[in-house]
Structures are given as structure tokens and as C-alpha cells.
Amino acid sequence: MKIEVAEHGRMSESGSSLLRLIQNQDMPLLDLFVRESVQNSLDAAASDVEYVNVDMVTGTFKPAALNRHLEKIEDRLNRRYSSVSQNFIAVRDSNTIGLTGPVRYKDVRNNSFGNLLKLVYEICKPQSTEGAGGSWGLGKTIYFRLGIGLVLYYSRIRQNGKYQSRLVACLVEDETKKEALIPHAGGVKRGIAWWGKRDGLVAGSTIPVDNELEIVKILSIFGLSPYTHSETGTTIIIPYIDEKALLNEVYAINEPAESKPYWVGSIADYLNIALQRWYSPRLNNISYPYGAYLSASVNGTKVKISGMLSLFRYVRELYILATTGTLESESLIESAGISWFVESIDLRGVLSSTSSGKFAYAKFNRRQLQMEPPSNERSPYQQILNIAVQMEGGNGPIVMYTRRPGMIVGYDYDGTWTHRMPKSAPDEFILGLFVANSQNTLKSIVDPKTGSLMSLEEYIRQGEKADHASWSDRNIAGNNFRIISNIQKHVISKIKKKYSEPVRETFERQNTGLAHALADMLLPQSDFGTDASVPPNPNNGGRGQRPIHARKSTFRIFGNPQYSNGSVEYEFEIVMKGKPCILSLQVLTDFKRYQADSWEKEDEIGKPFPLEFKELTITHIRKAAEKSCVGYDCNILITGSARGGNNKDVSVEFLKSSRFSTLGYAHFVPSESGCIITGNLVFSFSDPALKGMCELKETDK
């Protein structure tokens, strides 16, 4: 094939800049490749087809056999890749219209470039079809990042009643690197070149190869077959990939080997899971409401519903519930006996009809997610992120969201879709999927492209970034309708209402609002003592006799708290078993408990801890070894200024946080035999809306 080196011009992109256009550093390249390539195939679905075939292909090829077709870089490639074989990755679709349109710019009419020019020769030319995936025209740059920047495009189309094949190669590289392949005759290097056949009408230009024999010869290098009979479609081939580097990006070499999931061991296995991860709603879904569904395979082996990981089968069924309200005949949700819910997310005053979409959700346990033998599937977090995630205080919900193309835009478990959602038990997981009502329209906003009211689908589409990994609101005609943020708030509300524990109102009057806000402050934990207390004994300072059977030191509070001037006072009892203990103030959120040091970390809240010890008074002490409740009264007073106090049985000291020196800890050191101490503690609070508690832990220090 003949080479055409792109010349530098005003406002033109260079190879180095093209390789940096998508700035997504959080998602592995293989995931970006699956998301982009499958979306391109689905957007190009032929009219009236039932499904689109997409086959992910991996394999090896002989470098010399390919290099001889690439004019002026053959020798450089042969020197760089002298091994017998190299790896490639390809995506082949059918039941699509292929790379249609003109092959020369002079044939473009009404600014309609067609699929060929937009994909192969242009940048920033997005899909214009209603409901299409792309809105930036940048996603295709992922092809150049998987290997050395070399990509081959093969397509068979039916145009003007005739079938025609087209093949073209493109190389995008960093022109600033010493090992750049594209030749140059001086001047400014651009780092972009194409290979095809010489265009007889435009000097120095190339157009795609259309000779069937030559195309078959090039495809055979990769063991790929041409389209035949009435088949149309596109095959994209990316040679010279570094399989090890791509997999290391998915699962880093410093991650624990024992937690490594099987699908990160080969490109083929990973592509199979990535197809499920991002396209489960449209995969083999004959009830997909917007046209052709997706039929996918890897190296010719179909991705069947029965072979999918259970998590992604559930995601697929949640989508079907959201779009049809019913389940398939062989539903995994139904056979597992799972209670599911579908609710409309209604927004008033913004949309033509109130429903912005449907939210389908359910709670699943480990058995239903097949995390137990013999399947031993990984946790949902590892299936969506590849690495194990340890959640504190239970499992946070996972919320997904999608629009018309049926691709999962994102999985949210700690962001704006799940903020302050209730956590489930360690062996349970809440999964939810929001499906946008793509046919709804904004009340008063006209789409300049159609002259009609802007659809909700187009509003969301234009708010996606180039990698389509999230949704965001934006100003339209000077207004921000906050559609996305309001959808998120409603989704959070649905989960909280369904799965949160009911809250009992303790006080009703306005003047007791502070006490109500702090009603949960300093609640005892489940291991605070083992026996119920007995009525007070006036002979021992008002304390009930309390046999000591707990193995560890314990802490409890009793009586009603006293509130005044931004502080709260409690009576307490601590049973110390002989080891030093730390009593720490903690703030409770829906996500985790924060002690002073964790709260004040720069990568957490980063501000002074809102709770702080002011006084701690010990009024009575008895030896833990004594069965009698008789002890002795004392008056050890520890304040913020004194910070410490002691006698023969116990010493106490307030400790500061490491960053802002907040008195958030009290350090108790008992005598060797231990003791039981009772008294009063007073702490201040700077934010009455927060919930807090005290936690006692034994320590060796």
C-alpha cells in the first residue's frame, strides 16, 4: 500500500496531541476499547436487523508479512520487530452498514462526511444520529493507544445497489520521539500517515484499497476472513500490542496474587468480562426497546446469558425490568427469589412529562451472587473494578446508569449517585440501575439541530465527557435545570427509604432540637457490658452491683445527657481488665466512623475534629478482682488545660490529634489487676447536626 504523510497545517492536530485527547486515566485501555468499539458498531446498525454481531478477536501474526504492505516504514518495523510473531487485537462487526460515504473530500455534500472519512481521516467528527453514543468524535483515538499507533480498517458496504470492499491503514504516533516511524523530508513533523492506493485525481493523496485479492491477502496475515455474500460490516485490526502491559494496567503487579481474578490472566478472558461489564443491558436482550440488540463473541465463541457472571446477569435483568416492567421466562432474579423494585424518578417543572426514567433495584446476598462454592464468584466491587475493595461498616450500594445506547455509563459506589446511602450487611449488596427516559423532552429548550424541543437523551448525551464515563449538568440558554443532580437525589432517596432503619423521634419541640440532634451521641456499642444493671445501691455511691464477666474492657453510659453552651455531659462506667485503654470520640457518617486523626487527614475531611473532651471526673473506683461492690470515692479531675490525673489504681490523660491538636482521646492506664471506675465526662461539639459516640479499645501502650 502507498503512504500518504499528513502535512502540518493551521489548527491541525499532531500525533502526540491526538494520543492525549482522552484524559481518562482511571479506566483501563481495554475497557475504553470495548466501550468505544462496540458503541461504534451499534451506532452503525443496518436498518431492520434484529441484532448486531460484534466479535472480539485476539491472536498473533508474522511481522514481515504485514510490514511489506506498509510503504516507507517496512525496514524500520522489521528492525524493531524481528521476532517470529507479534500479538494483535481486532473487533469485527456485521449486520452494520460499514464505512460508507465518499472517499474524497471533493465528493462531500451538505457537510455529510460519511462513516469512512469521519472514522479514518477526521477527528472531532461525532455521530449525528439521534441516540448515538458519541458526541465528541474523540473516542476512536483509543485505537491508536493500544499498540504502536498503527490501525487497519477493513469494511464491506452496499452503496448504490453494489457491494464494495475498502481497506486503509493509519498510523498515529508521537512525532517528538526519536524512534518515530513516519518519514519526513524536513520541516514540521505531524506524526500521522495513511496507507491505501494512490488517488489518481489528487496528487500525493491516497484512498482506500478496493482490490478484493489484495484485501484478502492482508486479512489472511491475521487469520481473518473477508465478508461474503450479503454481509456488510467493519473490522478494525490493531497490530503490535503489548499484551503484558495491557494486562498489567488492568491488575497491577504489586497487587496480591491471591486476590487476582481469573479474567486478568489473558486478553481474551478480559474482553469477555468487559463486554458483560459495559453492555449487559443490551447483550442478548431481545426486548431492547430502541432497535437492534447486541450479539457478542470472543474469538468466535458467543457470550451467552448462561455463561455470564451473575452480577452482570442481574444488571441485565434490572435493565429489562426498568424498560418493560417484567422479567424473562428464565430469570435469575426470579429463580433466586429476590425481591425487586422499579420506581419512576419524577421531576416536576422541567420535563414535558414528569418521569426522567426508571430506577430498578434490589438487595442480593452472597448466595444469590454465587460468591459461595462451587462458583466462588468475586465480590461485585471486584467485578466492576478488577481489584478487591474493603468497605467499612458494611457494603455500600452500587448504582449504575445508562441511556438509549444501552451501555453502562458508570458504576458508582462512593460518589454523587450513592452519597449518604445506607450500607447493607457485610454479606449483602444493594444494586440499582437508572435507565433514562430518552424519549422525554425538556419543556422550554429547543434543540438547534432539529428545531424541536430538546430530548432528555440529547441533554444527557451532550453533558457526557469524551470518554462517556459520567453525566453532568450544564447551562442551557442561561439556565441550569440540575436535571442530573435531581435524578441522583431521587435515586438516593429511594434507596434510603427502602433500606434504612426507621428513626424514632425523641423530642418534638423546637427548644429541644439540640438534644434531638445529639440523641445518638455516645451510644454504647454492642459489647458495652454483658449483664443488665440492677437498681442503684445507696451504699456504693449510687452504682448498682455489676459482676464482671466480660473478657475485654468495656464502657457504658447511663442517665440522661445534660446539654449546655455547646457541650454535653454524661455519667459513665468503665470496666478495665488490666490493659491500658483508649476512649476515643467518634463522628458517625453513612460511610464510616471517624476518629480525630482520621477526620483531620488531608485526604479525608481535612478540618479540625468537631468533638473534643473538656472534662473527665472520676468519682468512684473499685478493684476489678473484688466481688464486693464496695470501693472508694475519689475526685480525679482531668481538664483540657491539666490534661491528666492519677492515683494508685488508675491514671488518665487526654491525648491530642496529630494534625490540629484536638483533644479527641482519653488514655486510661489501670493497675495490674484492673479496676472499675465511674464518673462524668464533658465534651464540646462544634456542629450539632453530626452524630457521635465514644468507643473504648484496649491498647498495649
Side-chain angles (χ1 to χ4, degrees):
M1 292 186 289
K2 301 299 182 181
I3 188 173
E4 175 188 348
V5 178
E7 296 181 358
H8 188 80
R10 295 177 178 177
M11 299 290 285
S12 61
E13 290 282 354
S14 64
S16 57
S17 62
L18 283 180
L19 295 173
R20 295 193 300 267
L21 277 179
I22 293 187
Q23 295 297 317
N24 190 326
Q25 301 298 321
D26 302 323
M27 192 177 295
L29 291 175
L30 289 172
D31 287 87
L32 290 171
F33 168 67
V34 168
R35 286 164 60 98
E36 175 64 21
S37 59
V38 174
Q39 192 58 70
N40 284 346
S41 297
L42 294 173
D43 286 347
S47 59
D48 301 325
V49 297
E50 184 180 1
Y51 56 86
V52 169
N53 282 313
V54 176
D55 187 22
M56 298 287 176
V57 183
T58 63
T60 60
F61 68 99
K62 293 182 179 180
L66 171 64
N67 299 344
R68 69 171 61 103
H69 293 277
L70 301 171
E71 183 186 43
K72 293 191 177 180
I73 66 169
E74 177 184 0
D75 292 340
R76 291 186 179 89
L77 283 172
N78 285 336
R79 286 194 296 270
R80 183 182 297 182
Y81 301 102
S82 57
S83 61
V84 175
S85 64
Q86 289 287 323
N87 296 311
F88 77 92
I89 188 171
V91 55
R92 183 185 192 276
D93 66 43
S94 59
N95 280 2
T96 58
I97 60 176
L99 299 182
T100 56
V103 298
R104 300 178 180 88
Y105 284 94
K106 72 180 188 65
D107 296 324
V108 173
R109 297 291 182 269
N110 298 320
N111 228 39
S112 179
F113 286 79
N115 290 344
L116 173 70
L117 292 180
K118 284 196 295 186
L119 180 64
V120 180
Y121 297 97
E122 283 290 322
I123 194 67
C124 297
K125 285 289 187 295
Q127 288 279 359
S128 56
T129 307
E130 182 183 2
S135 59
W136 293 80
L138 301 178
K140 58 199 172 192
T141 59
I142 184 61
Y143 302 140
F144 306 118
R145 295 169 59 190
L146 287 173
I148 63 171
L150 181 63
V151 181
L152 283 77
Y153 304 87
Y154 159 60
S155 185
R156 189 169 190 250
I157 65 172
R158 190 172 189 268
Q159 199 159 277
N160 299 323
K162 295 181 180 180
Y163 291 98
Q164 181 188 62
S165 293
R166 297 171 166 182
L167 188 145
V168 61
C170 181
L171 174 61
V172 174
E173 63 180 0
D174 187 342
E175 73 285 355
T176 65
K177 290 187 175 181
K178 183 179 179 180
E179 62 271 20
L181 294 167
I182 299 172
H184 68 100
V188 179
K189 293 190 293 184
R190 191 175 170 194
I192 302 173
W194 296 274
W195 284 263
K197 74 173 185 178
R198 191 65 65 197
D199 186 357
L201 300 179
V202 182
S205 182
T206 61
I207 58 176
V209 172
D210 56 10
N211 183 287
E212 297 285 353
L213 293 178
E214 186 176 356
I215 290 174
V216 169
K217 186 180 296 185
I218 294 174
L219 292 175
S220 66
I221 297 170
F222 305 97
L224 300 173
S225 301
Y227 297 104
T228 58
H229 304 297
S230 60
E231 274 189 313
T232 56
T234 300
T235 299
I236 298 174
I237 308 166
I238 305 169
Y240 296 114
I241 66 166
D242 187 336
E243 185 170 300
K244 183 178 180 181
L246 289 173
L247 291 175
N248 283 344
E249 187 190 45
V250 167
Y251 193 87
I253 57 177
N254 64 325
E255 294 289 347
E258 61 272 13
S259 65
K260 188 175 183 178
Y262 77 86
W263 58 81
V264 302
S266 75
I267 295 286
D269 285 339
Y270 191 81
L271 292 175
N272 185 299
I273 298 302
L275 283 165
Q276 299 176 44
R277 179 181 294 144
W278 303 116
Y279 285 99
S280 52
R282 199 163 170 176
L283 193 57
N284 302 318
N285 181 6
I286 60 175
S287 61
Y288 173 71
Y290 300 111
Y293 67 86
L294 170 64
S295 175
S297 56
V298 179
N299 290 327
T301 302
K302 291 288 185 183
V303 180
K304 297 180 180 179
I305 298 174
S306 59
M308 295 171 63
L309 293 177
S310 59
L311 169 67
F312 302 124
R313 286 187 66 179
Y314 287 132
V315 173
R316 178 181 174 276
E317 292 185 15
L318 288 174
Y319 181 86
I320 293 173
L321 282 170
T323 52
T324 69
T326 59
L327 289 167
E328 295 175 310
S329 57
E330 297 182 2
S331 163
L332 188 60
I333 285 179
E334 191 170 47
S335 63
I338 296 166
S339 298
W340 50 267
F341 307 93
V342 178
E343 299 190 56
S344 178
I345 304 299
D346 295 333
L347 305 180
R348 303 188 184 278
V350 180
L351 304 174
S352 298
S353 60
T354 57
S355 179
S356 66
K358 294 293 180 66
F359 182 53
Y361 59 101
K363 182 183 284 188
F364 305 81
N365 59 36
R366 288 175 57 88
R367 176 185 57 80
Q368 293 162 339
L369 288 165
Q370 299 182 19
M371 295 172 62
E372 299 175 347
S375 298
N376 295 315
E377 293 185 9
R378 303 291 179 142
S379 78
Y381 301 114
Q382 190 162 16
Q383 292 184 45
I384 63 176
L385 297 170
N386 299 315
I387 60 174
V389 174
Q390 299 297 326
M391 302 294 288
E392 295 186 25
N395 295 317
I398 298 174
V399 172
M400 302 143 279
Y401 42 104
T402 184
R403 54 182 179 88
R404 180 170 175 170
M407 180 184 77
I408 297 295
V409 174
Y411 290 87
D412 191 309
Y413 66 96
D414 63 351
T416 54
W417 288 86
T418 55
H419 180 59
R420 297 184 67 82
M421 276 189 178
K423 289 189 174 183
S424 50
D427 60 346
E428 294 180 324
F429 300 85
I430 297 171
L431 304 178
L433 174 64
F434 174 75
V435 181
N437 182 2
S438 297
Q439 296 174 322
N440 205 348
T441 56
L442 277 65
K443 264 188 175 180
S444 56
I445 302 300
V446 174
D447 189 337
K449 293 188 297 185
T450 64
S452 305
L453 290 177
M454 177 178 286
S455 66
L456 178 59
E457 172 75 10
E458 188 63 18
Y459 172 85
I460 296 174
R461 178 176 180 248
Q462 291 182 12
E464 290 179 350
K465 296 179 175 62
D467 56 9
H468 309 290
S470 62
W471 290 349
S472 60
D473 285 308
R474 67 192 192 286
N475 291 351
I476 299 180
N479 297 297
N480 190 328
F481 299 104
R482 294 180 174 84
I483 294 174
I484 303 303
S485 61
N486 284 326
I487 290 173
Q488 292 167 344
K489 290 177 182 177
H490 280 276
V491 165
I492 293 170
S493 175
K494 301 292 184 187
I495 293 289
K496 292 177 73 173
K497 184 177 180 180
K498 188 66 66 176
Y499 296 115
S500 292
E501 294 293 330
V503 178
R504 180 183 299 174
E505 287 291 337
T506 308
F507 303 95
E508 297 179 355
R509 298 196 307 272
Q510 182 68 31
N511 60 356
T512 60
L514 176 61
H516 175 60
L518 295 173
D520 292 326
M521 191 71 75
L522 298 176
L523 289 179
Q525 290 190 337
S526 58
D527 63 344
F528 284 1
T530 56
D531 298 316
S533 59
V534 298
N537 184 336
N539 296 324
N540 62 15
R543 301 289 156 252
Q545 183 174 354
R546 192 164 176 269
I548 305 167
H549 303 303
R551 295 181 179 179
K552 293 184 177 182
S553 302
T554 58
F555 167 81
R556 69 168 181 161
I557 58 174
F558 42 87
N560 294 322
Q562 303 297 318
Y563 302 96
S564 64
N565 298 324
S567 64
V568 60
E569 180 177 356
Y570 277 94
E571 293 183 75
F572 73 90
E573 178 187 83
I574 295 178
V575 178
M576 308 195 71
K577 305 299 290 183
K579 280 190 173 184
C581 297
I582 295 289
L583 182 67
S584 60
L585 291 169
Q586 296 186 352
V587 170
L588 280 71
T589 71
D590 290 344
F591 301 102
K592 62 188 294 186
R593 300 173 183 174
Y594 288 97
Q595 296 181 356
D597 281 324
S598 59
W599 176 281
E600 293 176 356
K601 283 182 179 178
E602 190 169 0
D603 57 352
E604 288 285 356
I605 308 302
K607 296 181 179 180
F609 192 62
L611 308 179
E612 188 171 28
F613 283 116
K614 292 181 66 177
E615 291 183 2
L616 191 150
T617 305
I618 297 177
T619 58
H620 192 83
I621 297 178
R622 73 179 176 92
K623 290 291 187 68
E626 297 173 0
K627 294 183 179 180
S628 168
C629 58
V630 177
Y632 61 93
D633 293 329
C634 62
N635 187 24
I636 300 177
L637 175 64
I638 301 98
T639 64
S641 56
R643 286 189 58 193
N646 63 83
N647 71 1
K648 61 185 178 64
D649 292 310
V650 66
S651 65
V652 186
E653 180 184 14
F654 285 155
L655 301 180
K656 295 181 179 180
S657 62
S658 57
R659 186 174 185 197
F660 291 109
S661 299
T662 307
L663 296 176
Y665 308 91
H667 187 208
F668 293 79
V669 180
S671 62
E672 185 175 347
S673 59
C675 59
I676 300 174
I677 62 177
T678 56
N680 300 75
L681 62 85
V682 181
F683 66 90
S684 62
F685 51 87
S686 60
D687 187 349
L690 295 174
K691 291 184 179 181
M693 63 178 292
C694 267
E695 183 182 53
L696 185 76
K697 283 190 175 182
E698 293 182 344
T699 178
D700 294 327
K701 300 178 181 180

